[in-house]
Short mmCIF file of all heavy atoms in Angstrom, two decimals:
data_model
loop_
_atom_site.label_atom_id
_atom_site.label_comp_id
_atom_site.label_asym_id
_atom_site.label_seq_id
_atom_site.Cartn_x
_atom_site.Cartn_y
_atom_site.Cartn_z
N ALA A 28 -8.50 6.63 -15.24
CA ALA A 28 -8.66 5.96 -16.53
C ALA A 28 -7.72 6.49 -17.60
O ALA A 28 -7.39 5.77 -18.54
CB ALA A 28 -10.11 6.09 -17.01
N LYS A 29 -7.27 7.74 -17.47
CA LYS A 29 -6.50 8.33 -18.58
C LYS A 29 -5.12 8.85 -18.20
O LYS A 29 -4.35 9.22 -19.09
CB LYS A 29 -7.30 9.46 -19.22
CG LYS A 29 -7.55 10.67 -18.32
CD LYS A 29 -8.37 11.72 -19.05
CE LYS A 29 -8.60 12.94 -18.19
NZ LYS A 29 -9.36 13.99 -18.91
N ASP A 30 -4.78 8.87 -16.91
CA ASP A 30 -3.52 9.44 -16.46
C ASP A 30 -2.74 8.37 -15.69
O ASP A 30 -3.07 8.07 -14.53
CB ASP A 30 -3.81 10.66 -15.58
CG ASP A 30 -2.55 11.40 -15.14
OD1 ASP A 30 -1.49 10.77 -15.03
OD2 ASP A 30 -2.65 12.62 -14.85
N ASP A 31 -1.72 7.80 -16.31
CA ASP A 31 -0.99 6.69 -15.69
C ASP A 31 -0.34 7.09 -14.37
O ASP A 31 -0.38 6.32 -13.40
CB ASP A 31 0.09 6.18 -16.64
CG ASP A 31 -0.49 5.35 -17.78
OD1 ASP A 31 -1.63 4.89 -17.65
OD2 ASP A 31 0.21 5.20 -18.81
N LEU A 32 0.27 8.26 -14.32
CA LEU A 32 0.95 8.69 -13.10
C LEU A 32 -0.04 8.89 -11.96
O LEU A 32 0.19 8.42 -10.84
CB LEU A 32 1.72 9.99 -13.36
CG LEU A 32 2.50 10.57 -12.16
CD1 LEU A 32 3.51 9.55 -11.63
CD2 LEU A 32 3.19 11.88 -12.54
N TYR A 33 -1.15 9.55 -12.24
CA TYR A 33 -2.18 9.76 -11.22
C TYR A 33 -2.74 8.41 -10.76
O TYR A 33 -2.93 8.18 -9.56
CB TYR A 33 -3.30 10.63 -11.79
CG TYR A 33 -4.43 10.89 -10.81
CD1 TYR A 33 -4.32 11.86 -9.82
CD2 TYR A 33 -5.62 10.16 -10.88
CE1 TYR A 33 -5.36 12.11 -8.93
CE2 TYR A 33 -6.66 10.40 -10.00
CZ TYR A 33 -6.52 11.37 -9.03
OH TYR A 33 -7.55 11.60 -8.15
N ALA A 34 -2.98 7.50 -11.71
CA ALA A 34 -3.50 6.19 -11.36
C ALA A 34 -2.56 5.46 -10.42
O ALA A 34 -2.99 4.84 -9.43
CB ALA A 34 -3.75 5.36 -12.62
N GLN A 35 -1.26 5.53 -10.69
CA GLN A 35 -0.28 4.86 -9.84
C GLN A 35 -0.28 5.45 -8.43
O GLN A 35 -0.12 4.73 -7.44
CB GLN A 35 1.11 4.96 -10.46
CG GLN A 35 1.33 4.03 -11.64
CD GLN A 35 1.09 2.57 -11.25
OE1 GLN A 35 1.51 2.10 -10.20
NE2 GLN A 35 0.39 1.85 -12.13
N GLN A 36 -0.46 6.76 -8.33
CA GLN A 36 -0.50 7.40 -7.01
C GLN A 36 -1.69 6.90 -6.19
O GLN A 36 -1.55 6.60 -4.99
CB GLN A 36 -0.58 8.93 -7.18
CG GLN A 36 0.68 9.55 -7.75
CD GLN A 36 0.48 11.01 -8.12
OE1 GLN A 36 -0.64 11.53 -8.15
NE2 GLN A 36 1.57 11.70 -8.42
N ILE A 37 -2.84 6.80 -6.82
CA ILE A 37 -4.03 6.32 -6.11
C ILE A 37 -3.90 4.84 -5.79
O ILE A 37 -4.22 4.40 -4.67
CB ILE A 37 -5.30 6.59 -6.95
CG1 ILE A 37 -5.47 8.09 -7.22
CG2 ILE A 37 -6.53 6.02 -6.23
CD1 ILE A 37 -5.53 8.96 -5.98
N LEU A 38 -3.42 4.06 -6.74
CA LEU A 38 -3.27 2.62 -6.50
C LEU A 38 -2.24 2.33 -5.43
O LEU A 38 -2.38 1.36 -4.67
CB LEU A 38 -2.91 1.91 -7.81
CG LEU A 38 -4.06 1.84 -8.81
CD1 LEU A 38 -3.54 1.50 -10.20
CD2 LEU A 38 -5.10 0.81 -8.36
N SER A 39 -1.23 3.18 -5.30
CA SER A 39 -0.24 3.01 -4.24
C SER A 39 -0.89 3.18 -2.86
O SER A 39 -0.55 2.46 -1.91
CB SER A 39 0.90 4.02 -4.40
OG SER A 39 1.66 3.73 -5.55
N LYS A 40 -1.83 4.10 -2.77
CA LYS A 40 -2.56 4.28 -1.51
C LYS A 40 -3.40 3.04 -1.20
O LYS A 40 -3.45 2.57 -0.05
CB LYS A 40 -3.45 5.52 -1.58
CG LYS A 40 -2.71 6.84 -1.68
CD LYS A 40 -3.67 8.01 -1.75
CE LYS A 40 -2.92 9.33 -1.88
NZ LYS A 40 -3.85 10.50 -1.96
N ILE A 41 -4.08 2.52 -2.22
CA ILE A 41 -4.92 1.33 -2.02
C ILE A 41 -4.07 0.15 -1.57
O ILE A 41 -4.39 -0.54 -0.59
CB ILE A 41 -5.68 0.99 -3.31
CG1 ILE A 41 -6.67 2.10 -3.68
CG2 ILE A 41 -6.42 -0.35 -3.15
CD1 ILE A 41 -7.30 1.93 -5.05
N THR A 42 -2.99 -0.11 -2.28
CA THR A 42 -2.17 -1.28 -1.97
C THR A 42 -1.44 -1.11 -0.64
O THR A 42 -1.12 -2.11 0.02
CB THR A 42 -1.17 -1.57 -3.10
OG1 THR A 42 -0.39 -0.38 -3.37
CG2 THR A 42 -1.90 -1.98 -4.36
N ALA A 43 -1.20 0.13 -0.22
CA ALA A 43 -0.60 0.35 1.09
C ALA A 43 -1.56 -0.10 2.19
O ALA A 43 -1.13 -0.67 3.21
CB ALA A 43 -0.25 1.82 1.28
N TYR A 44 -2.84 0.13 2.00
CA TYR A 44 -3.83 -0.35 2.97
C TYR A 44 -3.95 -1.87 2.93
O TYR A 44 -4.07 -2.53 3.96
CB TYR A 44 -5.21 0.26 2.68
CG TYR A 44 -5.29 1.76 2.93
CD1 TYR A 44 -5.98 2.58 2.04
CD2 TYR A 44 -4.71 2.35 4.05
CE1 TYR A 44 -6.07 3.95 2.26
CE2 TYR A 44 -4.81 3.71 4.27
CZ TYR A 44 -5.49 4.51 3.36
OH TYR A 44 -5.58 5.86 3.58
N LEU A 45 -3.91 -2.44 1.73
CA LEU A 45 -4.07 -3.89 1.58
C LEU A 45 -2.84 -4.65 2.08
O LEU A 45 -2.98 -5.76 2.63
CB LEU A 45 -4.30 -4.24 0.11
CG LEU A 45 -5.63 -3.81 -0.51
CD1 LEU A 45 -5.62 -4.09 -2.01
CD2 LEU A 45 -6.80 -4.51 0.15
N GLY A 46 -1.65 -4.08 1.91
CA GLY A 46 -0.44 -4.81 2.26
C GLY A 46 -0.36 -6.09 1.45
O GLY A 46 -0.54 -6.08 0.23
N ASP A 47 -0.10 -7.20 2.14
CA ASP A 47 -0.05 -8.49 1.43
C ASP A 47 -1.37 -9.24 1.53
O ASP A 47 -1.45 -10.43 1.23
CB ASP A 47 1.09 -9.35 1.98
CG ASP A 47 0.92 -9.65 3.48
OD1 ASP A 47 -0.02 -9.11 4.10
OD2 ASP A 47 1.74 -10.42 4.01
N LYS A 48 -2.41 -8.55 1.99
CA LYS A 48 -3.73 -9.18 2.15
C LYS A 48 -4.48 -9.19 0.83
O LYS A 48 -4.26 -8.38 -0.07
CB LYS A 48 -4.55 -8.44 3.21
CG LYS A 48 -3.89 -8.36 4.58
CD LYS A 48 -3.76 -9.75 5.19
CE LYS A 48 -3.30 -9.67 6.65
NZ LYS A 48 -1.96 -9.07 6.80
N GLY A 49 -5.41 -10.08 0.73
CA GLY A 49 -6.24 -10.16 -0.46
C GLY A 49 -7.38 -9.16 -0.41
O GLY A 49 -7.69 -8.56 0.62
N LEU A 50 -8.01 -8.99 -1.57
CA LEU A 50 -9.17 -8.11 -1.70
C LEU A 50 -10.38 -8.99 -2.00
O LEU A 50 -10.46 -9.60 -3.07
CB LEU A 50 -8.93 -7.11 -2.83
CG LEU A 50 -10.05 -6.10 -3.11
CD1 LEU A 50 -10.31 -5.21 -1.90
CD2 LEU A 50 -9.69 -5.25 -4.34
N LYS A 51 -11.29 -9.07 -1.06
CA LYS A 51 -12.45 -9.95 -1.21
C LYS A 51 -13.45 -9.42 -2.24
O LYS A 51 -14.10 -10.19 -2.95
CB LYS A 51 -13.14 -10.14 0.14
CG LYS A 51 -14.30 -11.13 0.13
CD LYS A 51 -13.83 -12.55 -0.17
CE LYS A 51 -14.97 -13.55 -0.09
NZ LYS A 51 -14.52 -14.91 -0.47
N GLY A 52 -13.59 -8.10 -2.29
CA GLY A 52 -14.55 -7.54 -3.23
C GLY A 52 -14.10 -6.20 -3.79
O GLY A 52 -13.58 -5.36 -3.05
N LEU A 53 -14.29 -6.02 -5.08
CA LEU A 53 -14.12 -4.72 -5.73
C LEU A 53 -15.47 -4.35 -6.31
O LEU A 53 -15.97 -5.03 -7.22
CB LEU A 53 -13.07 -4.80 -6.84
CG LEU A 53 -13.00 -3.61 -7.81
CD1 LEU A 53 -12.73 -2.30 -7.08
CD2 LEU A 53 -11.95 -3.86 -8.90
N ILE A 54 -16.09 -3.31 -5.77
CA ILE A 54 -17.41 -2.90 -6.22
C ILE A 54 -17.27 -1.61 -7.02
O ILE A 54 -17.02 -0.54 -6.46
CB ILE A 54 -18.38 -2.72 -5.04
CG1 ILE A 54 -18.46 -4.01 -4.23
CG2 ILE A 54 -19.76 -2.33 -5.56
CD1 ILE A 54 -19.39 -3.94 -3.03
N ASN A 55 -17.40 -1.73 -8.33
CA ASN A 55 -17.31 -0.58 -9.23
C ASN A 55 -18.69 0.08 -9.31
O ASN A 55 -19.50 -0.25 -10.17
CB ASN A 55 -16.83 -1.04 -10.61
CG ASN A 55 -15.39 -1.50 -10.59
OD1 ASN A 55 -14.51 -0.77 -10.13
ND2 ASN A 55 -15.14 -2.71 -11.08
N ASN A 56 -18.90 0.99 -8.39
CA ASN A 56 -20.21 1.62 -8.25
C ASN A 56 -20.25 3.04 -8.83
O ASN A 56 -21.30 3.50 -9.26
CB ASN A 56 -20.58 1.67 -6.76
CG ASN A 56 -21.76 2.57 -6.46
OD1 ASN A 56 -22.88 2.31 -6.91
ND2 ASN A 56 -21.52 3.65 -5.73
N ALA A 57 -19.13 3.73 -8.85
CA ALA A 57 -19.10 5.13 -9.29
C ALA A 57 -19.55 5.26 -10.74
O ALA A 57 -19.20 4.45 -11.59
CB ALA A 57 -17.71 5.70 -9.12
N ALA A 58 -20.32 6.32 -11.01
CA ALA A 58 -20.77 6.58 -12.38
C ALA A 58 -21.20 8.03 -12.48
O ALA A 58 -21.57 8.67 -11.49
CB ALA A 58 -21.92 5.66 -12.76
N ILE A 59 -21.12 8.55 -13.70
CA ILE A 59 -21.70 9.86 -13.97
C ILE A 59 -22.79 9.69 -15.01
O ILE A 59 -22.75 8.76 -15.83
CB ILE A 59 -20.66 10.89 -14.43
CG1 ILE A 59 -19.96 10.44 -15.72
CG2 ILE A 59 -19.63 11.15 -13.34
CD1 ILE A 59 -19.07 11.51 -16.32
N GLN A 60 -23.77 10.58 -14.96
CA GLN A 60 -24.92 10.50 -15.85
C GLN A 60 -25.09 11.86 -16.52
O GLN A 60 -25.63 12.79 -15.93
CB GLN A 60 -26.16 10.12 -15.06
CG GLN A 60 -27.37 9.75 -15.90
CD GLN A 60 -28.54 9.34 -15.02
OE1 GLN A 60 -29.28 10.20 -14.54
NE2 GLN A 60 -28.72 8.05 -14.81
N ILE A 61 -24.59 11.97 -17.73
CA ILE A 61 -24.72 13.21 -18.50
C ILE A 61 -25.86 13.03 -19.49
O ILE A 61 -25.80 12.18 -20.38
CB ILE A 61 -23.40 13.54 -19.25
CG1 ILE A 61 -22.26 13.75 -18.25
CG2 ILE A 61 -23.59 14.77 -20.12
CD1 ILE A 61 -20.91 13.95 -18.87
#
């Protein structure tokens, strides 16, 4: 959410798995409870 370079590194891993395929679902489940 706050580090563009780190975000790009993680997104590169995701898109490498996806290739040119679509993503049927994105489930934003992660959360913290302080």
Side-chain angles (χ1 to χ4, degrees):
K29 65 181 181 178
D30 184 333
D31 285 341
L32 180 58
Y33 179 80
Q35 285 302 317
Q36 292 170 349
I37 300 303
L38 288 164
S39 292
K40 293 180 181 180
I41 295 171
T42 54
Y44 292 138
L45 291 173
D47 60 355
K48 302 295 189 298
L50 180 62
K51 185 65 176 176
L53 167 59
I54 304 180
N55 291 307
N56 167 64
I59 60 171
Q60 191 178 84
I61 298 174

